[in-house]
Amino acid sequence: MRTVLISGAGVAGTTLAYWLAERGWQPTIVELSGGLRSSGNPVDVRGPAVAVAERMGVMGRLHDARTQATSLRLIDEQGQTRARVRAPSGTEIPRADLARILFEAARDRTELILGDTVTALTPGAAGVEVTFARSAPRRFDLVVGADGLHSAVRRIAFGPESDFVDHQGLYVATLPLGQPARAPHEVQLLNAPGRLLSVHPGRGQELAAFIFRHPEAEAPDPVELVVSAYGEMGWRAPELLDRLRAATDFYFDAVSRVRVPAWTRGRVTLLGDAATCVSLFGDGSTMAMAGAFTLADALGRLPIEAALRSYEARHRRLVQPKQHAVGATSHLLVPTTRWGIGLRNAGARLLQPAA
Ligand SMILES: Cc1cc2nc3c(=O)[nH]c(=O)nc-3n(C[C@H](O)[C@H](O)[C@H](O)COP(=O)(O)OP(=O)(O)OC[C@H]3O[C@@H](n4cnc5c(N)ncnc54)[C@H](O)[C@@H]3O)c2cc1C
């Protein structure tokens, strides 16, 4: 039986484990975290990922775990409505719940190593010798880096992160508020030039997001950066900044695009955000699931080297438009001027009014 080591039990890695097991491979997943957590930022399963989820038999579970958001309300600093639009189609679900449900579908046929990471990859006669931080070294026929934006596999096999990751001039911080949603079915969004503040109802518990333009800061202090960007904002900004100052568990990162000229080096390949991240601006979870299916499908039909070439050729066609659209998408969500915000709101009113 052919063996594959998948680094990362996220959306891409768990989907790949399922589909490779279906095609007779023996998957092992190594995950840095000590456990598979729940919750996380809401992500979408739509377009080509729906068919992948349906064929895995998990669509019902994804539906049960979906967030409650049905519309987006664009507001002003007084909380007054400027436009209201329907939430985009698809199933929206907290990222970690999506990964957990996908993993549960693969669990019976997948070995899971938690709390560990790859530290070295050495090409062998047929396969890769893998060294881990904690587990004993092992050989695999194939290694897949599905370990996200800051992929360790990419760093080890392809080169430093700075060669492949571009800062998009924005940062994002998200903070679970741990309190019942005041507006249980709508995402509320307030823009000021270069800044977006949103409150998402999640699955009944509010989640705040700060997405703002800022040049790349050397070793930024996340809280200081957010407070300096939102200090003057109205609506719920003062309350949410207080919550951020007191928080110990929040997400913060530079909004980044990953571009890797070739996704494969020998028997090591990249998948999901590790290969093609567009942060929150391009259906990343849908792309991760679709890419995993394409890769497994090719590996089920072709010799490994030919399969990796086929995967890259097919999946690049799907992700390239998303990668090109990052600038335009980010300007829609975070316009840089008051005029731009007004124009975006007017467009929203015309194009897709909520019922
Ligand atoms: C704030 C925010 C909002 C987003 N909103 C959306 C959205 O609305 N819709 C959408 O489609 N997408 C959205 N995305 C993008 C989406 O989350 C990603 O594109 C998607 O999760 C990519 O899946 P992945 O499996 O490649 O990576 P991930 O889901 O990030 O999984 C990577 C996994 O690798 C693990 N890992 C990391 N390092 C190592 C290591 N050294 N060794 C082993 N394991 C490791 C991580 O713990 C994680 O489990 C959003 C992203 C962010 C940050």
Side-chain angles (χ1 to χ4, degrees), residues 52-90:
V52 175
E54 273 169 356
R55 291 177 66 183
M56 291 172 75
V58 297
M59 216 46 221
R61 294 199 59 203
L62 297 185
H63 196 70
D64 292 345
R66 72 192 186 282
T67 72
Q68 299 180 359
T70 55
S71 68
L72 275 57
R73 189 157 71 92
L74 309 173
I75 59 173
D76 62 19
E77 302 229 2
Q78 286 70 48
Q80 299 301 310
T81 305
R82 293 290 170 188
R84 192 194 288 271
V85 293
R86 281 192 300 277
S89 62

Side-chain angles (χ1 to χ4, degrees), residues 88-293:
S89 62
T91 303
E92 191 189 55
I93 176 169
R95 190 201 68 88
D97 293 289
L98 173 58
R100 189 173 38 75
I101 291 168
L102 295 169
F103 176 72
E104 279 161 13
R107 167 184 279 159
D108 290 350
R109 296 174 294 177
T110 301
E111 178 192 10
L112 177 64
I113 305 170
L114 289 172
D116 207 351
T117 182
V118 170
T119 53
L121 297 165
T122 312
V128 188
E129 301 293 334
V130 181
T131 308
F132 298 92
R134 295 175 51 199
S135 309
R138 283 165 69 176
R139 195 199 74 84
F140 294 88
D141 293 316
L142 176 67
V143 172
V144 180
D147 41 4
L149 167 59
H150 303 293
S151 168
V153 167
R154 190 184 60 224
R155 177 171 35 76
I156 293 165
F158 292 73
E161 186 163 305
S162 55
D163 286 358
F164 307 112
V165 177
D166 306 327
H167 178 51
Q168 295 297 296
L170 295 104
Y171 285 95
V172 55
T174 63
L175 173 69
L177 297 177
Q179 64 195 31
R182 295 185 197 173
H185 299 293
E186 67 181 23
V187 186
Q188 299 174 329
L189 301 111
L190 168 63
N191 279 98
R195 282 158 292 165
L196 169 70
L197 177 60
S198 77
V199 175
H200 194 293
R203 304 198 59 224
Q205 299 275 301
E206 291 185 326
L207 179 80
F210 304 83
I211 306 169
F212 58 102
R213 297 185 181 277
H214 194 290
E216 194 165 11
E218 278 295 316
D221 173 49
V223 175
E224 218 173 89
L225 218 54
V226 178
V227 169
S228 68
Y230 287 83
E232 307 292 310
M233 215 183 212
W235 188 52
R236 293 179 64 181
E239 165 211 340
L240 299 176
L241 290 177
D242 282 347
R243 294 294 303 272
L244 185 69
R245 285 189 195 94
T248 50
D249 182 22
F250 61 90
Y251 171 88
F252 177 84
D253 210 340
V255 173
S256 303
R257 177 169 57 186
V258 171
R259 283 191 293 192
V260 184
W263 297 343
T264 297
R265 290 259 167 107
R267 290 285 184 92
V268 181
T269 197
L270 300 174
L271 175 68
D273 275 8
T276 62
C277 178
V278 285
S279 283
L280 61 166
F281 295 128
D283 286 338
S285 50
T286 287
M287 295 298 118
M289 289 176 69
F293 180 82

